[in-house]
Amino acid sequence: MDLTKDADAARETLRTMWTIRRFEEAVDDLFARGLMHGTMHLSIGQEAVPAGACLALREGDYITSTHRGHGHCIARGARIDAMMAELLAKETGYCRGRGGSMHIADVATGNLGANGIVAGGVPIAAGAGLAVSLRGGDEVVVSFFGDGAVNEGAWHEGVNLAAIWDLPVVFVCENNHYGMSMSVGKAFKVDRLAERAAAYGIPGVTVDGNDPQAVHDAVSDAVHRARAGRGPSLVEAVTYRWKGHSKSDKNLYRTREEIEAWREQDPIVRFERAVAATLSDADVAACRDEARDAVREAIRVANAAPDARADSLADAVYAGSEA
Amino acid sequence: MTAVLPQQRTLTYAEAVREALAQAMEADERVFLLGEDIGTYGGAFGVTGDLVHRFGERRVRDTPISELGIVGAAVGAALAGMRPVVEIQFSDFTAQAMDQIVNQAAKIHFMLGGAASVPMVLRAPGGSGTGAAAQHSQSLEAWFAHVPGLKVVMPSTAADAKGLLLAAIDDPNPVIVLEHKLLYKQSGPVPEEATRVRLGETAVRRSGGDVTIVATGVMVSRALEAAGQLAAEGIEASVLDPRTLRPLDAAPIVDSVTATGRALLVQEAPQTGGFMAEVAAAIVESSAFGHLRAPVARLCGLDVPIPYAPQLERAAVPQTGDIVRRARELVTTW
């Protein structure tokens, strides 16, 4: 599907990317003002990956996500008021305040969860694919992870299991150039992380991760292949994290010039240019405004919600023991 | 009127485990097995045996040597609606899979605010006595029992090996079932039906008024043997088997110690940080404290890795004679 020529797809892509951008900016702001607790991993600059990838999925499909997972949740259709409520430590949050930013899941949209452990979701995605395969279903699992995950043992084990059993999994690497401060150049001997696919006998492709169309095309191909029972693929989407790794990041490992150069490649600005012939200025502005309003409303709703309660904690550990 | 006893016959502990797996797979299509060499090979200890011929390679699934990947796949399959049962070939190898056990399986239900659960079982043989040395002989139950979100089971009889496993497969939570290598060939009466043994129920294996012996795993049969020898000397021991370590059913232990006034806690695992310290705490924090006639005593494995040479291996973990001596000392000194 050409996301730039189809007006509905263009609007949806743009609205998704703006919602992620505005959500992350709001979180950054709430955090800076001391109104949000804990730590946050923001995905500003990386919006094209979840937006392009999730458009290739349909109802019943699954995703696994990462510590930098707000974008995946939003692109997969999570409720941003419940996400915001979780970050604001409210009882109405996705995890009732027990998980926070790194553990948001939305089972209704097949989102099996963000994950605080790098590559933790990779073998889990293989397992979800195994469940589909055992049931004879045609659902697909997209596993999002960063460049850092590709050097974890869990990544190798999970990708290999999916490969040997031809499981319906699409491994989507968001290569944002840094595992915290460790650059891809220092952490890998290969130039392209997609080269790792060859080691598992599966297709691997590297695409421009700041172009939702490129991401969408590659992930769609991989999803079709998986749905047809032809096994997993690896898609490397090259992108860039504008903000620090988390709140402790002083950006000592990269230059201002490097960050500036990538900001010039803003996926949203690029996509707005690409859809200029399809969407009017008013359409584009409407997408932007809808995203802004939705995030404002999410903050309002979340702030009005009751705080997460500690009274049921002990009963929350085991399934089947809730009061 | 005579109660009708469920039909029983004698099976080995390994056969009892296999029968539980077969009955669970027959009853529920969601149940499947994952593990190293569990298919044609039949399992390193022969537990899965012929199951691959009965249920096929898809449901009795041989895996590469990838413990982290295997457990992760089980977590994912459980999240997506299946009921996976993983065999980790030696419980020592769970160290390779700890992230998926501790950070994922145990915590997902809680972290997600109850929105999802991980109904999976991880079976693994533990314990020493086979000359397999330090990386194939550990008793790691305390690691798992320390993690909220896991349930931990240690069957000591063939009937419990079947009944507890069936209950573990039914459970909506991740359950770690630590079988014992030395028990696999031990036989006992096992119900033919798929009879569950509820998780979290301590079994009283023997009743006696002088001392309460609490033991787990292979130490249960040694404690019973010791109790027989003690009886010949006029010392009557109760032997209690928690069977489930988490959640621990402490009430029968407290009741027994209240009656005997003496507690001897026996585990194969090294003493420091071991599970019997938890049992000791449960006793002294309870009303049994006021009934104690002797300090609570532990008899544990030495704080050493399990050695290879048979005489060294025996010296590293409690033997029947050690239990007899320690129990006698408790009763005669206090």
Side-chain angles (χ1 to χ4, degrees):
Chain A
M1 181 170 50
D2 191 332
L3 305 180
T4 59
K5 298 279 193 311
D6 179 306
D8 286 341
R11 261 192 293 271
E12 188 175 351
T13 306
L14 196 52
R15 199 182 307 117
T16 299
M17 290 201 292
W18 271 120
T19 305
I20 298 170
R21 176 72 55 91
R22 292 297 182 232
F23 186 90
E24 300 287 50
E25 287 171 348
V27 167
D28 201 25
D29 175 63
L30 287 164
F31 205 86
R33 290 195 285 141
L35 299 173
M36 198 174 268
H37 153 91
T39 191
M40 300 297 152
H41 306 91
L42 303 178
S43 62
I44 297 175
Q46 304 181 198
E47 297 88 347
V49 184
C54 287
L55 273 179
L57 297 180
R58 65 189 195 201
E59 202 177 324
D61 290 339
Y62 297 99
I63 67 165
T64 66
S65 171
T66 72
H67 59 290
R68 201 174 307 287
H70 302 160
H72 310 135
C73 289
I74 291 169
R76 190 62 188 137
R79 288 172 40 217
I80 59 173
D81 56 347
M83 289 175 64
M84 195 60 86
E86 183 60 27
L87 303 188
L88 288 167
K90 300 295 187 171
E91 189 66 26
T92 55
Y94 265 112
C95 319
R96 304 177 68 185
R98 294 162 190 165
S101 167
M102 283 189 282
H103 303 297
I104 293 177
D106 180 28
V107 180
T109 57
N111 180 349
L112 299 178
N115 208 305
I117 305 294
V118 171
V122 174
I124 292 175
L130 178 57
V132 170
S133 165
L134 284 166
R135 284 196 291 257
D138 68 349
E139 299 89 0
V140 169
V141 188
V142 164
S143 181
F144 291 104
F145 50 85
D147 45 279
V150 180
N151 283 330
E152 285 276 15
W155 189 88
H156 295 272
E157 296 192 21
V159 173
N160 187 54
L161 290 182
I164 59 172
W165 293 331
D166 289 324
L167 300 179
V169 186
V170 178
F171 296 102
V172 176
C173 174
E174 293 176 308
N175 175 357
N176 68 10
H177 288 79
Y178 293 94
M180 200 157 162
S181 69
M182 185 71 174
S183 71
V184 165
K186 288 179 182 167
F188 290 86
K189 194 71 177 171
V190 291
D191 294 326
R192 292 176 171 223
L193 311 195
E195 290 175 35
R196 289 275 172 90
Y200 303 95
I202 64 172
V205 61
T206 300
V207 299
D208 179 352
N210 280 12
D211 176 1
Q213 183 70 55
V215 173
H216 180 70
D217 289 344
V219 173
S220 291
D221 286 349
V223 164
H224 288 143
R225 185 184 153 83
R227 223 184 280 292
R230 289 162 55 214
S233 310
L234 171 60
V235 175
E236 176 193 14
V238 180
T239 182
Y240 197 79
R241 152 167 67 72
W242 291 11
K243 307 291 286 188
H245 162 75
S246 67
K247 66 175 180 177
S248 66
D249 193 334
K250 298 185 185 68
N251 275 323
L252 300 175
Y253 52 88
R254 56 183 184 175
T255 63
R256 200 177 296 273
E257 291 72 26
E258 179 185 298
I259 299 172
E260 252 338 289
W262 275 96
R263 290 177 72 111
E264 295 294 315
Q265 296 297 315
D266 184 337
I268 299 182
V269 171
R270 281 176 55 186
F271 191 71
E272 286 186 350
R273 264 189 231 126
V275 298
T278 308
L279 299 184
S280 67
D281 287 353
D283 276 340
V284 169
C287 289
R288 198 180 306 158
D289 291 349
E290 280 172 38
R292 179 199 60 202
D293 294 347
V295 171
R296 279 187 187 162
E297 177 65 4
I299 296 170
R300 193 193 62 74
V301 169
N303 271 327
D307 289 340
R309 293 191 311 267
D311 54 359
S312 56
L313 270 190
D315 293 330
V317 180
Y318 292 95
S321 59
E322 292 88 352
Chain B
M1 206 172 100
T2 315
V4 179
L5 287 171
Q7 203 63 38
Q8 299 202 337
R9 69 262 108 97
T10 297
L11 292 183
T12 67
Y13 184 100
E15 288 165 345
V17 172
R18 188 183 316 140
E19 187 167 272
L21 295 171
Q23 289 178 343
M25 282 196 285
E26 274 162 10
D28 187 344
E29 284 198 344
R30 299 172 302 171
V31 179
F32 71 100
L33 315 183
L34 271 175
E36 295 159 6
D37 312 299
I38 64 169
T40 305
Y41 195 101
F45 291 91
V47 172
T48 44
D50 64 349
L51 291 180
V52 70
H53 302 301
R54 295 169 61 189
F55 295 95
E57 289 180 352
R58 286 168 62 78
R59 291 179 79 193
V60 182
R61 188 169 286 252
D62 268 330
T63 66
I65 304 168
S66 298
E67 289 83 6
L68 181 61
I70 298 165
V71 178
V75 173
L79 281 171
M82 302 297 282
R83 295 267 175 171
V85 181
V86 168
E87 175 175 304
I88 295 292
Q89 198 161 76
F90 286 79
S91 69
D92 312 71
F93 307 165
T94 58
Q96 295 271 31
M98 278 312 232
D99 174 61
Q100 287 292 335
I101 299 170
V102 174
N103 289 324
Q104 313 293 343
K107 294 179 173 56
I108 283 174
H109 177 75
F110 180 88
M111 290 192 303
L112 304 191
S117 56
V118 185
M120 63 170 278
V121 173
L122 187 157
R123 299 175 36 246
S128 65
T130 64
Q135 296 171 333
H136 292 73
S137 301
Q138 294 169 90
S139 300
L140 299 173
E141 63 274 11
W143 285 7
F144 302 110
H146 190 62
V147 180
L150 298 178
K151 294 188 177 182
V152 184
V153 170
M154 285 181 82
S156 72
T157 68
D160 278 359
K162 178 177 175 181
L164 288 167
L165 179 54
L166 284 166
I169 293 170
D170 288 344
D171 201 277
N173 297 284
V175 183
I176 310 294
V177 180
L178 295 166
E179 296 161 3
H180 200 291
K181 298 177 203 91
L182 294 184
L183 296 176
Y184 278 137
K185 289 181 180 160
Q186 303 265 321
S187 297
V190 178
E192 277 182 19
E193 300 297 313
T195 310
R196 272 67 177 163
V197 173
R198 282 167 51 121
L199 304 186
E201 286 188 1
T202 293
V204 178
R205 301 289 184 196
R206 187 183 194 282
S207 292
D210 296 318
V211 58
T212 300
I213 304 176
V214 182
T216 48
V218 77
M219 292 298 147
V220 175
S221 50
R222 289 185 194 168
L224 286 168
E225 206 174 283
Q229 295 181 23
L230 289 162
E233 303 176 15
I235 296 172
E236 289 298 334
S238 287
V239 176
L240 275 70
D241 173 5
R243 304 193 284 189
T244 303
L245 275 56
R246 189 180 186 113
L248 175 67
D249 173 24
I253 299 171
V254 168
D255 289 348
S256 177
V257 175
T258 299
T260 63
R262 301 181 185 91
L264 174 59
L265 315 179
V266 188
Q267 70 182 29
E268 179 173 355
Q271 176 161 303
T272 304
F275 188 76
M276 285 304 166
E278 190 62 34
V279 175
I283 294 168
V284 299
E285 287 174 350
S286 77
S287 57
F289 180 74
H291 299 271
L292 284 172
R293 300 163 65 176
V296 172
R298 280 182 293 167
L299 180 62
C300 305
L302 302 180
D303 278 325
V304 301
I306 297 296
Y308 161 69
Q311 67 278 21
L312 304 185
E313 189 179 26
R314 274 194 302 276
V317 302
Q319 305 297 323
T320 303
D322 301 321
I323 301 172
V324 171
R325 274 190 295 280
R326 199 74 182 88
R328 184 194 297 132
E329 194 180 294
L330 267 187
V331 174
T332 56
T333 312
W334 299 87

